[in-house]
Amino acid sequence: MKKLVLYFHTIKYLKFTQLYHRVLKRFTHPKINLIQGERCDISGQWQVKELCAQKFINETDVKFLNHVGSVENIGDWNKATKEKLWLYNLHYFDDLNSFGSQSRHELQRHWINKWIDENAPDSVGNGWEPYPISLRLVNWVKAFLSGLSPSNKMLDSLAQQADFLSQDLEKHLLGNHYFVNLKALIFAGCFLEGTEASKWLAIGLKDFERELNEQVLDDGGSFELTPMYHAIMLTDLLDLYNLFQAFPDRIPYSTIEITKNKIIKMLKWLELMSHSDGSISFFNDASFGIAPSNDILREYAYKLGFVSVLEKIKYSPNELSVFDLESTGYVSVKSAELDLIADLAEVGPSYIPGHAHADSLSFEMSLGGRRIFVNSGSSLYGASNERLRQRGTSAHNTVEVNGKNSSEVWSGFRVARRASIRNRVVGQVSSEQKVQFSAEHNGYKKQGMSCIHYRSWEVLLSSCTINDEIIGDFNSAFGYLHLHPEVVIARISVDKCTLSVDGYEIQLEIEGAQLNAEESTWHPEFGIVKPSQKLCLKYSQSRVTYKINWKKL
């Protein structure tokens, strides 16, 4: 019965088109067609940009997600003992556009030919699923445009993959999966010529602007509400804008302009949702090393002509700046010293919250480019207890009530009953250099508990006060503050704590809860687990206050 309830509260949010295409997918299968691939003449200019670390080590060894593996026989492409995400990466071919790739063309040609020879289209394997096809098509085309000379065999395979993908779009999922399907068809449709290529381009462009308008919100953030996937989608748009400059006569002017405008907004959102160390914050599924770094994305945008928008905002040491990212729901408070980013957002798009965490009303904070309070990040996907723990409320800087998550995350990418944000207020008292914002969520009430979690922040130049209130009945409540691994607990008692990190001392005082420290872990990249500590606050009252003060040493 419990499983049925989970399924009901998960499925009820899906769009009709998702349900329809899930059923349709069971009864229809793509046809395997042999198509001759013929390269189209480029009419504009393609900008070469390397985006990631090397993946192909030699003719058999590879490295993905910080794990080394090898492909020595056909079965290794879909080896059952390897994680699904690692195998997906094996089929992406990101190495074709990695650092130093221009000097490894022979090795890359070896891997392309190896993939073609050992991954027949009628085989059952990860390589012919639509998402890996989409990423691989784009990577192959980008490499061919960047100087890797394709053989006829490669062009024919490229055409066959594009044709196969055009029959197997991920309309049952939508979101970022469907968007990269469209991107891949646009790439293949521009790079190749002929009737079939024109058809793929038309399919890719048909829903492109609609999906772009839905998936990039008015404040510039991706509707997935995760900085990592925002950076991934920004990369997608930079790639597409690059392609549009190379084949301007094949793309409608309106499509080029909307892509350009979305890139400008997304670059601004990325800066506001990043710390002054130059890297993204960790809300929902987020970690380093999956999307290109902020610096690489800025370099890419610069090469494509986005110059004025790349000028970084200079924050005053004597003034707080508050940015209410109303469409995505986040609040970012910055000064020359402080970065405080708070999650007053929904869990994600209602019909595709696969990358959501139960992190409502959590926050991150850094001082002088040193992270202090951090959400614990993501180191793995798949259905496991560790994946559930990393998605859970206790892995974030917020409050867990009655041992439950604020939203009902389950399996690897599911969410059933989920929190909704209410009474969201953001303001600034400029004369006092004080920023105040607050919100509440009903996630616990939706799961049968008669309580609401309300949280407010009051931020000054050298202090922050957080007030929690559990409105209603509850048996237990715990607040969490996860510390970056470099943060040291110098002293701790039941209601006070002194923290230190290079150059700063932070004083924490608690009212209404008992404080203690526990061992924890931080997950900055997939496959990486770093020991850390977390402060646990056992709430003894319905109202609890955190007073955080800091000074530079």
Side-chain angles (χ1 to χ4, degrees):
M1 179 59 73
K2 183 179 180 180
K3 198 75 169 181
L4 288 174
V5 172
L6 279 175
Y7 274 108
F8 171 76
H9 287 292
T10 303
I11 293 172
K12 71 180 184 180
Y13 292 99
L14 296 179
K15 289 186 174 184
F16 173 78
T17 185
Q18 289 175 289
L19 296 171
Y20 170 76
H21 282 96
R22 282 169 193 253
V23 174
L24 188 65
K25 197 172 178 67
R26 291 180 176 272
F27 299 100
T28 60
H29 303 283
K31 295 179 181 179
I32 301 169
N33 297 313
L34 298 177
I35 301 174
Q36 184 176 3
E38 187 174 349
R39 185 170 180 171
C40 181
D41 291 333
I42 188 171
S43 57
Q45 185 175 8
W46 171 260
Q47 298 289 343
V48 178
K49 181 59 185 169
E50 298 170 342
L51 298 175
C52 63
Q54 181 178 347
K55 312 295 183 183
F56 297 150
I57 301 171
N58 52 45
E59 293 187 350
T60 57
D61 299 326
V62 295
K63 185 177 181 180
F64 306 112
L65 308 176
N66 293 298
H67 290 160
V68 175
S70 61
V71 181
E72 297 178 346
N73 56 63
I74 292 177
D76 289 338
W77 289 99
N78 300 287
K79 199 169 186 176
T81 56
K82 290 290 187 181
E83 290 185 8
K84 180 80 168 179
L85 184 61
W86 192 93
L87 290 171
Y88 261 26
N89 275 263
L90 177 59
H91 292 270
Y92 290 165
F93 277 75
D94 287 339
D95 185 84
L96 301 188
N97 300 286
S98 62
F99 305 137
S101 61
Q102 298 293 310
S103 65
R104 299 195 308 277
H105 282 174
E106 286 306 312
L107 177 62
Q108 292 170 338
R109 269 191 281 267
H110 162 81
W111 277 97
I112 293 174
N113 286 320
K114 185 179 178 70
W115 187 91
I116 295 170
D117 293 340
E118 298 181 358
N119 290 274
D122 57 352
S123 63
V124 177
N126 297 288
W128 286 92
E129 293 184 28
Y131 190 75
I133 291 177
S134 298
L135 271 62
R136 184 173 57 252
L137 282 176
V138 170
N139 281 325
W140 285 20
V141 171
K142 287 170 64 178
F144 298 154
L145 288 170
S146 299
L148 179 63
S149 179
S151 64
N152 290 335
K153 174 182 174 181
M154 295 174 187
L155 293 176
D156 290 349
S157 177
L158 186 74
Q160 187 177 50
Q161 293 176 60
D163 180 72
F164 194 89
L165 174 64
S166 71
Q167 305 172 60
D168 197 25
L169 302 177
E170 293 176 281
K171 293 183 179 181
H172 64 299
L173 293 178
L174 298 177
N176 69 86
H177 277 243
Y178 185 47
F179 188 82
V180 298
N181 297 162
L182 301 179
K183 174 188 176 182
L185 293 180
I186 293 171
F187 260 78
C190 284
F191 182 73
L192 298 174
E193 66 178 6
T195 303
E196 294 301 318
S198 296
K199 182 183 74 174
W200 306 327
L201 180 58
I203 294 172
L205 290 174
K206 180 176 178 292
D207 287 343
F208 175 75
E209 290 189 26
R210 186 193 70 194
E211 289 296 318
L212 191 54
N213 282 323
E214 180 175 4
Q215 294 192 37
V216 180
L217 303 180
D218 289 344
D219 60 17
S222 163
F223 80 154
E224 298 267 11
L225 304 183
T226 142
M228 182 180 82
Y229 278 92
H230 173 93
I232 291 172
M233 188 172 188
L234 175 55
T235 308
D236 289 334
L237 292 191
L238 291 170
D239 284 344
L240 284 161
Y241 191 76
N242 198 358
L243 183 79
F244 298 164
Q245 303 309 299
F247 298 95
D249 53 334
R250 306 201 68 180
I251 304 298
Y253 177 77
S254 63
T255 301
I256 298 174
E257 283 300 296
I258 190 175
T259 303
K260 178 180 178 180
N261 292 333
K262 294 293 186 183
I263 288 171
I264 292 171
K265 287 186 175 183
M266 293 187 81
L267 286 166
K268 292 178 179 177
W269 192 93
L270 181 64
E271 180 177 350
L272 295 177
M273 288 296 293
S274 296
H275 291 271
S276 54
D277 61 8
S279 297
I280 59 171
S281 52
F282 287 0
F283 294 94
N284 295 310
D285 276 342
S287 64
F288 306 140
I290 300 297
S293 70
N294 288 11
D295 285 344
I296 293 297
L297 289 175
R298 290 173 62 86
E299 290 172 8
Y300 196 3
Y302 185 87
K303 291 192 78 169
L304 294 176
F306 295 91
V307 178
S308 59
V309 72
L310 294 175
E311 185 175 348
K312 289 189 176 183
I313 303 172
K314 293 183 179 180
Y315 299 103
S316 168
N318 303 311
E319 184 178 342
L320 291 173
S321 298
V322 58
F323 302 92
D324 181 8
L325 301 170
E326 191 172 0
S327 300
T328 47
Y330 293 100
V331 175
S332 180
V333 181
K334 294 181 179 290
S335 71
E337 181 178 56
L338 172 70
D339 295 285
L340 191 148
I341 306 169
D343 182 356
L344 281 66
E346 301 297 332
V347 299
S350 61
Y351 62 89
I352 183 171
H355 295 294
H357 287 201
D359 61 356
S360 296
L361 304 185
S362 65
F363 73 102
E364 292 196 337
M365 191 182 94
S366 63
L367 294 169
R370 299 162 183 84
R371 299 193 184 211
I372 310 297
F373 302 121
V374 293
N375 291 313
S376 61
S378 302
S379 68
L380 77 172
Y381 281 168
S384 68
N385 290 333
E386 177 60 15
R387 166 68 171 161
L388 284 175
R389 189 194 69 80
Q390 291 180 16
R391 296 181 76 199
T393 299
S394 64
H396 303 85
N397 299 319
T398 185
V399 181
E400 177 189 71
V401 175
N402 292 355
K404 298 287 188 180
N405 291 319
S406 57
S407 290
E408 204 170 18
V409 293
W410 64 284
S411 188
F413 302 95
R414 308 290 187 190
V415 186
R417 290 169 289 190
R418 69 280 305 257
S420 296
I421 297 295
R422 308 187 310 187
N423 298 322
R424 185 180 181 280
V425 178
V426 181
Q428 180 172 18
V429 183
S430 58
S431 61
E432 299 178 24
Q433 279 308 307
K434 181 191 299 182
V435 173
Q436 295 173 316
F437 52 95
S438 60
E440 64 185 30
H441 77 77
N442 61 2
Y444 296 116
K445 189 170 185 178
K446 285 188 175 181
Q447 296 178 65
M449 292 167 268
S450 57
C451 65
I452 299 291
H453 176 207
Y454 169 85
R455 172 169 276 190
S456 68
W457 288 259
E458 183 179 278
V459 186
L460 287 83
L461 283 170
S462 59
S463 69
C464 174
T465 300
I466 298 173
N467 291 294
D468 276 331
E469 185 173 0
I470 311 301
I471 304 170
D473 298 326
F474 66 98
N475 296 322
S476 66
F478 286 86
Y480 298 95
L481 291 172
H482 291 263
L483 307 179
H484 186 274
E486 294 179 359
V487 176
V488 175
I489 300 176
R491 292 180 296 277
I492 188 169
S493 66
V494 294
D495 61 355
K496 293 180 182 179
C497 181
T498 301
L499 307 174
S500 65
V501 68
D502 184 28
Y504 285 91
E505 181 179 273
I506 301 101
Q507 299 286 345
L508 173 66
E509 294 185 22
I510 303 297
E511 297 176 5
Q514 292 183 324
L515 179 66
N516 73 289
E518 294 182 5
E519 298 300 312
S520 187
T521 52
W522 188 55
H523 315 100
E525 297 183 37
F526 274 73
I528 298 292
V529 177
K530 289 194 173 187
S532 64
Q533 291 182 293
K534 64 181 178 183
L535 301 176
C536 303
L537 291 77
K538 183 178 180 180
Y539 285 27
S540 56
Q541 301 177 18
S542 60
R543 295 184 179 182
V544 175
T545 299
Y546 305 52
K547 295 181 179 179
I548 307 168
N549 295 273
W550 55 87
K551 63 180 180 180
K552 196 168 185 178
L553 299 177

